[in-house]
Amino acid sequence: GGFRIGTAATPRLLWVLQSEGATVLIDGPGGGGKNNTHGTLTLGAQYYLLRTLWVHAGLGFATYRIVDTVQETQVVDLERNGFAYASAVGFDLFRSPDLWSFGFRRQDFAISFEVRVVGALYPGDTDAMGEKQKTGGIVQITSGFGFQWY
């Protein structure tokens, strides 16, 4: 899932801070297991090509972590930091009419559909045990409906 917060730079351009994350739980023998967690934090821009059609792009930081659970004790197996990117294209299905408040024109809200691609690149590094870790990446593609308040 994810969360975004932003501010308008111009009537067509928004600056957006976005957080995305996902966790995969893998059951292991004897009640143990692994939690694979991936998270990103990006700063980007959302630009309206038309009144209801927009594109988004951003860059930032990423983390990846694997935690083993053995007999109710959690042990960090792997932790990596890297670079993140986010991109999306969206279409506002519904936008409230223009409103005037305290002499300023503003939009109330929009319900939109979007397709989002969030990814990360984790450069090769040496882990705590002195072993070389390979360069790797993760790509997450999602689609869904969003609620935007302006």
Side-chain angles (χ1 to χ4, degrees), residues 87-102:
S87 61
V89 61
F91 182 79
D92 292 345
L93 301 170
F94 172 81
R95 285 184 86 163
S96 65
D98 291 345
L99 299 175
W100 290 85
S101 176
F102 303 109

Side-chain angles (χ1 to χ4, degrees), residues 39-91:
T40 62
L41 181 64
T42 58
L43 178 61
Q46 182 170 311
Y47 184 76
Y48 277 84
L49 300 170
L50 303 171
R51 178 170 160 71
T52 57
L53 178 67
W54 52 266
V55 293
H56 171 89
L59 296 172
F61 305 99
T63 62
Y64 181 71
R65 189 174 189 195
I66 299 175
V67 177
D68 278 328
T69 303
V70 180
Q71 297 177 352
E72 298 183 17
T73 303
Q74 291 189 344
V75 178
V76 176
D77 210 13
L78 175 69
E79 192 163 12
R80 304 275 301 271
N81 296 313
F83 307 100
Y85 66 89
S87 61
V89 61
F91 182 79

Side-chain angles (χ1 to χ4, degrees), residues 85-130:
Y85 66 89
S87 61
V89 61
F91 182 79
D92 292 345
L93 301 170
F94 172 81
R95 285 184 86 163
S96 65
D98 291 345
L99 299 175
W100 290 85
S101 176
F102 303 109
F104 296 99
R105 182 176 170 265
R106 65 179 176 90
Q107 295 298 124
D108 246 358
F109 67 90
I111 296 173
S112 59
F113 176 78
E114 68 181 68
V115 175
R116 188 178 340 171
V117 177
V118 177
L121 176 64
Y122 298 101
D125 198 4
T126 305
D127 66 13
M129 304 286 283

